[in-house]
Amino acid sequence: MKPFDPRLLREVPATRAPIGLLAVAAAAQGAAAIALAFALARLVTDVVAQGNWERSALWALGAFVLRGVLGMFVDRMGAHTATAVSSALRRRVLSRWIEAPAEARPDAEEATTLAVQGAEAVEPYAARFLPALVAGVVVPVLAVGALVVVDPLSALIVVVTLPLLPLFAALIGRTTEDDTMGRWRALEQLAGHFGDVMRGLPTLVTYGRARRQVEVVRAVSDRHRMATMRTLRLAFLSSAALELLATISVAIVAVTVGLRLTHGSISLEVGLLAILLAPEAYWPIRRVGAEFHAAADGATAIDRLLAPTSCPAGTSRRAYGPNDDVPAGQEVEVVGVEYAYPGTETKVLDGVSLVATGPGLTVVTGPSGVGKTTLLDVIAGLRTPSNPPRISQVHYVTQRPFLPDGTLESALRLGAPTGRTTSDVWDALRRIGLWEFVAGLPDGLGTRIGDDGFGLSAGQRTRVALARALLSDAPVLLLDEPTAHLDGDAARTVVDVLRELAAKRRIIAVTHSPDLVAVSDEHVHLAPTFAELSS
Amino acid sequence: MTATTTARSPADLLSGVWGGLALTSGVALTATSGWLIVRASERPVILTLLTAIVAVRAFGMARPFFRHLERLRSHDTALADLATARTSVYAALIPLTPARLGRRSRSAVLTGVVDDLTDVVEAHVRVRVPVLSVIVATTFTALLTAALVPAAGAVVVGWVLSVIVIAAVGLRLERSSQPLLGAARAEVSRVAELVGRHTGELRAIGAEGDVVRDLDRAQRDLGTALRRQSRGRALVSGGVLALTGLATLAMASIAVGADISAGVAALLVVVPAALADALLPLADASRARARSEQSGSRVTALLDQDPALRATGTGTLATAAPHLRLEGVTAGWVDDRIDVGPVDLDLPPGRRLAIVGANGSGKSTLLAVLARALDPRSGRYLVDGRDVRTLDLDAVRDLLAIVDDEPHIFAADLRANLAVAQPDATDVDLVRALRVAGLGDWFDALPSGLETRLGSGGRGVSGGERARLSLARAVVSDRPVVLLDEPVAHLDHPTAAKVMRDVREATAGRTVVLVSHRPEGLDDVDDVLDLTPIHKD
C-alpha cells in the first residue's frame, strides 16, 4: 500500500488538475506557516525592544490571515478534489462494468460495493491525507532551508535529528510487526462480527436464535474492545515516543540557542526564529503518519479500483455488440451460432442461423427450452457466442421488461433519444392502447412505479415496455413473447402496431401466438437439438 | 434512543482533564520558552535561568505524557460505550425484525445502523473530549495571562468566546448540509446499484448512456453537497487563525504598554499562537458533532417504531403438521394503509400454494402475516383452529421456515451456517440437506467440507448457491411449513429454473407458500392466488 500511487494520475486524467491544484495550495499553506514564524519572531523582538511594533504586528496579523485563508482554500479544494477523484474512479469502474461482456464481469455484489463504499473511502484520502502528505514534504524542507540561512547550527541539529523520526518509527514498526499483523487479523474478525450478525438478524429471528445472540454481541464487543486497546496502546505509545523525540530535538536546538544568546553570539530575533522554525520541521511528518492511519482504507480502495480485474478492458462492444461497421440499417446476420452458458458443456444454441435484411417481421418459434430467449440475448449482444453475429443497434423487450423505480415517464424515456417530447410519449401510449389508462391515473405520467409505488399488471408492464420500444430509434427491435400476458383486444392492438412498425424497422419476435406468426414476413422455427431431446 | 448511546460517561471528564493538561503543557511550553529566550538574550547569570529550563523540560515531557493518557482513556471509554450501545441496540431491534426494517434491502438498513452507531459513539473521542480539553487549556491560559496583566486575560477570554461563536456557526453550516449530503450519497448508491444489478436489461434497451448520465448528475450533486459541507469546517479553521492574528495584535499592544519585564512581554505575544493549536481541532469536532447528531437521529427513528406484532399470547401447540387458515385477513405495514386483503386462505398440511400478482399488490405483505412478522389488521389467522394472537409467538414461528430473496451467509463455517436453523442437527443431517437443496456437487468440491469458511473473508458464494443454502437451512430446520419470498428474484432464468426444481424436491411433503413475480416454479403448485387488483386495462 503506497501513500500515493502515480497510476491514479496516469490512468484517470480527470484527477490531475484538482490534485495538482490541491498540492499547490497545501504547499502554499506550508509556506505561510514559515512566513508566520518570521513575522512572530520579528514581532516579539520589536515588542521587547519597544520598537516599531505596530508594523510588525500588522505583518503578523497578515501572516495569520494568509494562513487562515489558505487553510480555508485547502479545505474547500480538498472537498472538491475528494469528489473529483472518487467520482472519476466510480465512473470509470462502472462504465467499464457496463461495457464488459456478461461472461467477463466480476461478481455484481463486489463491483457495486467497490463502486459505492470503495470510492467513498477515497474521499477522506483525497481531502485530508493528500494535503498532509504535501505539507509533510514541503514544510520540513522550507523550515530547514530557512534555518540554513538564518542559523546554520540549528539547521545542522535538525538535519541530524530529523531522520531519527522515520528511523525510530520503522524500528518500532519492525519489532511489533508480526505481533501487529496477527492482531489486526483477529481485530478485523472481531470488528466484522457485529456487522455480520446485524445483517443476519432476519435469519436469526426466523430460526429463533436472535435473543441468544445478544449475549454473544456483548461478549464479542468486549473482546473487540480489549483487542483494540492492546493494539492502540502500542500505536499510542509509539506516537508518544515520536512526539517526545521531536520535543527533545527542539529542546536541543533551544539549549544551543539559549547558550549562544547568553554569550551574545546571536541576536534575539535569530534565536526566536530558530526555536519557532525548528518544530515546523517535525510536526508535519508526524501528521502524515496520523492522517495515513485514517486514510489507509482510501489508499487500499484506490489500489482495488485501479486493478485490471475490477475494470475488465473495454474489448466488449466493438467485438460483438452493435457494430459500427454496419450502416444504420436493419441488418441481422447470425450464422451457425453456438452458445453454452458459462461453466456448462451443453450447447443451448447449436448452429442456429437467422439472417434478415431491411425492414420486416421475423418470428421465432419453438418448444420451451430450445434457446429462443438465448438467441435474442445473443443478437442483443448480452451474451457472447463463439462466433459473434453482425448486427445493427437493437432495442430488446425482454419477457419481464425492466422498469426502474421512479416515474412512469422516466421508465418510458429510458433508452430513448433525448429529442423525444412529452407528446411523443403520449403518442406512443396511444398507439399501444395505454393512453386511457395512463390519462386516468391521478398523477398521469408522473405516477411512481416500482417497489413502493403503483403496481402494474404483467400485461401493463409489457405494453409500457412496447411503448418504450416505439420511442427508441433502434432500427432493430427484439421482442420476447410480446403478447403473452395480453388479453384478446390488447394482443390484437400489439400485433397491428408490430405490423405497422415492420414497414420501417426489422422486428424479431419470439412468440407462441399464431396471430403474430400469421402476419410475419419470415418464420424461424427452432427444433430441439439431439442433446435436448435425449435429456 | 436507548439511554446508553447518549449517556455522558464521567470517564469523558477524566479524558478531558488529561487532554486539557496536554494542551496546557503545550501552551506553557511555548510561553516559558519565549520568556526563556528573551531572558537569555539579556545575558543574565545562567543559574537564574535554571528554574525556567527545568520548567521547559517538564512541560516538554508532560505534553506527550498527558496526551497519551488522554488517548488511552478516551478510546477505552468510547469502545466500552460502543459495546454497550451495540448490545442494547441489537436487543431493541429483535422485536422490530423483520417488519420494521423496511420492505427491501434490509441488510443495507442494518449495515447503516452499524455505521451510525460508530458515528454516535465516536463523538466521545472526536467531540466531547476535545471540547473539554479546550475548556481546561483556555481556563489555564486566561488565568495565567490575567495574573500577569489583567487586560491580557480579558483578551484571551474575548478571543476564545469569538472562536466559540465561529465554531457554533460552523456547526450550523455542517448541520444544514447533512440532509443534502445524505440524499446525494443515497442517490449515487442507487444509480451505482442500478448499473451493477441490471446491466443486461439496461444494455438491452440501449439505456447505458441514460444511467451513466444519471450517475454523472448524482455525482455532481454529491460534489455540490460536499463542497457545501466543507464551508463549515473551512470557516472554523480559517476563522480561528484570523482571530488568533487579532489576538496576537491585541496582546502585542498590551505587552508594549504594560509595566512588565521583556520576558513576560514575549510570553504574552506568543501565547495566542500556542493556544491556537489547541483550538483548531474544534473544526473537526463540529463536523463530527453534526454527523453524530444525524446518525443518532436515524438510529432513534428506527428504534422508536412500535413492533409490528402487538398481540401475542401464551398458548402452545402440539402439532407436527399444522393446518393454517386465513379468514378475511387484511394487513398493512403502516397504520393508515391496507396493503392487502381481505384474503381467505385454507392451507391444510402439505398444500402447495403460489401467490402471484403485480408489484404492490401485497404478496410480501400477505406472506409476512403468514410468517407472523405482521399482525392481521382485521380478520383472523388460525393455526389448527386457534387464533395466532392467543398463541405464543415463538411456538408459531417454530413451525415456519422462511426463504427470502436476501439470505444472509454468516462469516462462519458451513456447519455453523446451516446449524443456525437447527442447532441439534448432526453432520449427516446437514449433508443430506445440502444434497436435497441441490448443493451436492458444490459440497463435494469443497476442500474442507463442513469446516469451509463462508461469508466475508471466506469462500465466495454465488447467487444461486446462496439461495440454495437458504433452502438447505429450511430443510435442516425440519419445520412443517416453508414460506418462500421471491427466492430467485436476483437470479438469471436458467439458474432460477434449476433452483425452483430443487425447491420442489426439497420441500416435498411440506406446506409451501411461494411468493413470486416470475414464472419459474409456478407449474407444480396446487393453487395459485393472484392478488393483482383489477384495473381497467
Side-chain angles (χ1 to χ4, degrees):
Chain A
M1 201 164 43
K2 296 179 209 161
F4 184 73
D5 192 339
R7 272 189 307 163
L8 183 61
L9 298 181
R10 212 165 44 231
E11 294 188 22
V12 194
T15 62
R16 285 177 205 160
I19 288 182
L21 193 55
L22 180 64
V24 171
Q29 192 193 14
I34 304 293
L36 181 59
F38 275 90
L40 268 181
R42 179 82 238 157
L43 176 62
V44 172
T45 315
D46 285 344
V47 166
V48 167
Q50 302 274 324
N52 184 9
W53 66 274
E54 287 94 344
R55 220 180 61 151
S56 48
L58 284 176
W59 274 110
L61 175 62
F64 268 115
V65 171
L66 179 66
R67 224 189 113 184
V69 168
L70 285 169
M72 283 172 118
F73 184 69
V74 168
D75 267 354
R76 305 277 284 156
M77 195 60 215
H80 175 69
T81 310
T83 35
V85 174
S86 67
S87 298
L89 285 169
R90 188 181 287 124
R91 190 182 201 282
R92 182 171 182 270
V93 84
L94 284 178
S95 39
R96 296 252 177 131
W97 166 264
I98 292 178
E99 282 165 21
E103 293 81 1
R105 280 186 211 125
D107 180 51
E109 194 79 35
E110 214 169 282
T112 317
T113 310
L114 190 59
V116 178
Q117 281 94 352
E120 192 180 325
V122 175
E123 286 173 16
Y125 170 87
R128 304 290 302 267
F129 177 69
L130 284 185
L133 185 64
V134 172
V137 175
V138 171
V139 178
V141 170
L142 286 179
V144 171
L147 275 177
V148 168
V149 177
V150 174
D151 182 21
L153 181 59
S154 298
L156 185 67
I157 296 171
V158 172
V159 167
V160 170
T161 55
L162 201 54
L164 289 178
L165 228 57
L167 187 74
F168 203 61
L171 271 179
I172 296 175
R174 174 90 57 83
T175 51
T176 57
E177 189 171 26
D178 299 336
D179 197 32
T180 314
M181 281 313 287
R183 275 184 192 165
W184 269 117
R185 262 195 300 278
L187 204 55
E188 242 172 48
Q189 270 178 22
L190 288 173
H193 176 265
F194 184 61
D196 191 42
V197 295
M198 275 293 258
R199 284 189 294 278
L201 186 56
T203 306
L204 292 167
V205 167
T206 295
Y207 292 110
R209 317 285 307 162
R211 250 164 262 141
R212 246 158 298 187
Q213 201 65 35
V214 174
E215 281 318 303
V216 179
V217 167
R218 186 191 308 278
V220 174
S221 298
D222 280 337
R223 259 170 42 220
H224 174 236
R225 168 191 174 191
M226 280 182 283
T228 311
M229 282 315 292
R230 268 201 302 277
T231 311
L232 283 181
R233 212 163 272 139
L234 207 67
F236 291 160
L237 203 61
S238 55
S239 137
L242 288 182
E243 188 180 350
L244 195 63
L245 190 68
T247 310
I248 290 170
S249 307
V250 175
I252 297 173
V253 172
V255 167
T256 62
V257 164
L259 282 175
R260 283 179 294 154
L261 276 174
T262 50
H263 287 122
S265 56
I266 52 167
S267 72
L268 172 62
E269 190 178 355
V270 168
L272 279 168
L273 249 182
I275 67 155
L276 284 173
L277 283 174
E280 299 292 334
Y282 298 97
W283 70 260
I285 297 179
R286 289 194 293 122
R287 202 181 131 216
V288 174
E291 293 282 353
F292 188 66
H293 181 66
D297 283 349
T300 316
I302 289 179
D303 204 41
R304 293 186 51 207
L305 282 161
L306 290 177
T309 46
S310 4
C311 300
T315 53
S316 61
R317 310 238 63 174
R318 303 261 167 266
Y320 69 93
N323 200 327
D324 287 351
D325 304 342
V326 181
Q330 298 90 5
E331 288 175 53
V332 175
E333 190 181 316
V334 179
V335 180
V337 76
E338 293 179 359
Y339 187 81
Y341 291 120
T344 62
E345 295 288 314
T346 323
K347 286 179 184 151
V348 193
L349 300 177
D350 195 356
V352 173
S353 298
L354 189 157
V355 179
T357 313
L361 172 61
T362 307
V363 295
V364 180
T365 57
S368 270
V370 78
K372 301 187 296 289
T373 299
T374 311
L375 176 63
L376 289 189
D377 286 354
V378 164
I379 299 175
L382 300 182
R383 296 186 182 276
T384 321
S386 44
N387 43 343
R390 280 165 50 83
I391 34 174
S392 338
Q393 198 198 333
V394 303
H395 183 102
Y396 178 16
V397 180
T398 52
Q399 245 186 65
R400 197 187 140 67
F402 171 63
L403 302 178
D405 293 359
T407 66
L408 195 52
E409 179 162 14
S410 68
L412 281 162
R413 282 178 176 277
L414 210 54
T418 41
R420 293 277 189 261
T421 63
T422 306
S423 74
D424 291 337
V425 175
W426 281 112
D427 189 46
L429 288 172
R430 186 186 51 72
R431 287 175 69 188
I432 214 76
L434 272 182
W435 190 92
E436 271 201 335
F437 166 67
V438 176
L441 293 171
D443 295 323
L445 283 175
T447 304
R448 296 197 73 81
I449 53 172
D451 278 342
D452 295 315
F454 190 85
L456 295 173
S457 70
Q460 286 162 343
R461 289 180 72 95
T462 306
R463 282 194 282 166
V464 168
L466 287 170
R468 180 164 68 191
L470 294 181
L471 286 167
S472 97
D473 58 358
V476 175
L477 290 186
L478 307 176
L479 309 169
D480 197 355
E481 302 276 11
T483 57
H485 300 290
L486 303 178
D487 56 23
D489 282 345
R492 265 188 298 282
T493 310
V494 168
V495 170
D496 290 347
V497 170
L498 293 184
R499 202 45 260 174
E500 207 179 303
L501 278 175
K504 285 188 187 152
R505 309 199 208 186
R506 168 58 56 176
I507 298 174
I508 300 175
V510 163
T511 189
H512 286 116
S513 153
D515 295 343
L516 197 54
V517 175
V519 298
S520 67
D521 302 312
E522 286 103 30
H523 182 177
V524 176
H525 184 79
L526 295 187
T529 59
F530 177 72
E532 279 157 355
L533 281 174
S534 63
S535 71
Chain B
M1 157 107 66
T2 47
T4 43
T5 50
T6 50
R8 273 151 214 275
S9 164
D12 280 349
L13 201 60
L14 187 58
S15 313
V17 169
W18 293 140
L21 286 175
L23 293 181
T24 305
S25 305
V27 173
L29 176 65
T30 311
T32 349
S33 311
W35 182 88
L36 187 62
I37 292 290
V38 171
R39 186 77 189 90
S41 73
E42 294 167 349
R43 304 174 68 181
V45 183
I46 296 240
L47 275 176
T48 61
L49 298 177
L50 273 185
T51 326
I53 290 171
V54 170
V56 167
R57 234 181 258 158
F59 291 136
M61 304 218 274
R63 186 170 55 174
F65 175 71
F66 285 125
R67 183 165 298 162
H68 184 63
L69 287 186
E70 175 259 305
R71 280 173 163 173
L72 282 182
R73 185 84 211 173
S74 62
H75 283 79
D76 193 43
T77 314
L79 285 164
D81 283 356
L82 186 61
T84 318
R86 283 180 165 183
T87 314
S88 64
V89 166
Y90 199 82
L93 277 173
I94 293 173
L96 302 175
T97 305
R100 293 296 182 237
L101 301 183
R103 309 265 299 277
R104 294 273 164 238
S105 43
R106 284 173 190 140
S107 105
V109 172
L110 292 165
T111 308
V113 175
V114 175
D115 296 340
D116 284 345
L117 270 188
T118 309
D119 279 347
V120 171
V121 174
E122 266 190 356
H124 289 281
V125 181
R126 293 174 185 270
V127 184
R128 263 172 245 151
V129 172
V131 167
L132 284 169
S133 308
V134 164
I135 292 172
V136 172
T138 304
T139 310
F140 164 81
T141 312
L143 289 176
L144 171 81
T145 47
L148 295 170
V149 181
V155 167
V156 170
V157 171
W159 164 49
V160 173
L161 285 180
S162 336
V163 167
I164 290 171
V165 171
I166 293 257
V169 176
L171 179 60
R172 276 185 63 163
L173 286 175
E174 291 274 351
R175 239 181 229 152
S176 71
S177 68
Q178 286 289 331
L180 192 68
L181 188 61
R185 282 206 192 288
E187 177 64 6
V188 168
S189 317
R190 188 190 69 81
V191 179
E193 298 225 345
L194 186 70
V195 172
R197 299 206 191 291
H198 299 283
T199 325
E201 289 115 313
L202 290 167
R203 275 183 47 184
I205 55 171
E208 312 97 296
D210 290 348
V211 285
V212 170
R213 262 197 303 283
D214 278 354
L215 180 70
D216 287 343
R217 186 181 39 73
Q219 298 205 120
R220 259 199 312 279
D221 290 348
L222 177 61
T224 311
L226 272 172
R227 271 192 296 278
R228 201 182 139 145
Q229 184 201 28
S230 74
R231 290 190 313 190
R233 193 174 182 279
L235 177 75
V236 180
S237 54
V240 166
L241 284 169
L243 286 171
T244 308
L246 287 175
T248 306
L249 189 79
M251 281 298 202
S253 120
I254 288 168
V256 169
D259 181 22
I260 46 174
S261 73
V264 173
L267 181 154
L268 290 181
V269 174
V270 295
V271 151
L275 190 57
D277 287 340
L279 297 177
L280 279 171
L282 289 179
D284 284 334
S286 61
R287 170 162 297 178
R289 171 74 194 262
R291 210 175 133 133
S292 79
E293 283 172 354
Q294 180 86 3
S295 304
S297 62
R298 268 197 301 265
V299 177
T300 310
L302 185 67
L303 295 188
D304 272 355
Q305 300 178 99
D306 291 324
L309 294 170
R310 293 195 187 127
T312 59
T314 51
T316 53
L317 287 157
T319 175
H323 186 143
L324 311 182
R325 283 176 67 87
L326 297 183
E327 291 180 350
V329 162
T330 63
W333 299 91
V334 283
D335 277 339
D336 50 353
R337 210 173 108 179
I338 299 285
D339 292 311
V340 72
V343 174
D344 292 304
L345 207 58
D346 185 32
L347 289 167
R351 168 82 70 173
R352 306 174 71 83
L353 169 78
I355 304 176
V356 300
N359 277 336
S361 60
K363 302 187 297 281
S364 297
T365 315
L366 191 59
L367 199 77
V369 172
L370 284 170
R372 275 306 270 149
L374 196 63
D375 272 334
R377 187 69 51 74
S378 63
R380 296 200 303 162
Y381 174 13
L382 304 172
V383 177
D384 285 346
R386 298 165 68 185
D387 193 313
V388 289
R389 280 172 285 199
T390 66
L391 296 172
D392 178 58
L393 179 62
D394 288 337
V396 178
R397 283 190 176 170
D398 281 350
L399 300 172
L400 315 164
I402 296 160
V403 179
D404 63 20
D405 63 336
E406 293 192 296
H408 180 68
I409 305 301
F410 291 94
D413 62 16
L414 175 57
R415 181 181 290 115
N417 261 296
L418 293 174
V420 72
Q422 177 56 272
D424 306 328
T426 63
D427 283 3
V428 178
D429 296 336
L430 300 183
V431 175
R432 192 186 306 133
L434 287 171
R435 299 205 186 282
V436 171
L439 285 170
D441 292 342
W442 175 80
F443 175 71
D444 292 335
L446 290 181
S448 331
L450 288 171
E451 263 96 59
T452 308
R453 274 193 72 83
L454 305 176
S456 80
R459 191 188 166 86
V461 174
S462 75
E465 287 155 8
R466 188 178 288 258
R468 286 193 173 96
L469 277 170
S470 177
L471 184 61
R473 275 182 189 149
V475 173
V476 165
S477 77
D478 208 25
R479 297 179 174 193
V481 180
V482 181
L483 305 175
L484 301 129
D485 191 0
E486 308 263 10
V488 293
H490 302 312
L491 304 181
D492 61 69
H493 173 77
T495 316
K498 282 184 216 147
V499 170
M500 287 316 296
R501 262 204 304 281
D502 292 329
V503 164
R504 185 182 50 205
E505 299 292 318
T507 58
R510 301 181 204 213
T511 309
V512 172
V513 180
L514 164 68
V515 159
S516 184
H517 59 232
R518 304 183 31 150
E520 297 93 358
L522 294 188
D523 38 3
D524 48 51
V525 293
D526 305 321
D527 264 325
V528 176
L529 172 65
D530 190 347
L531 290 176
T532 307
I534 316 297
H535 297 302
K536 36 175 191 167
D537 254 27

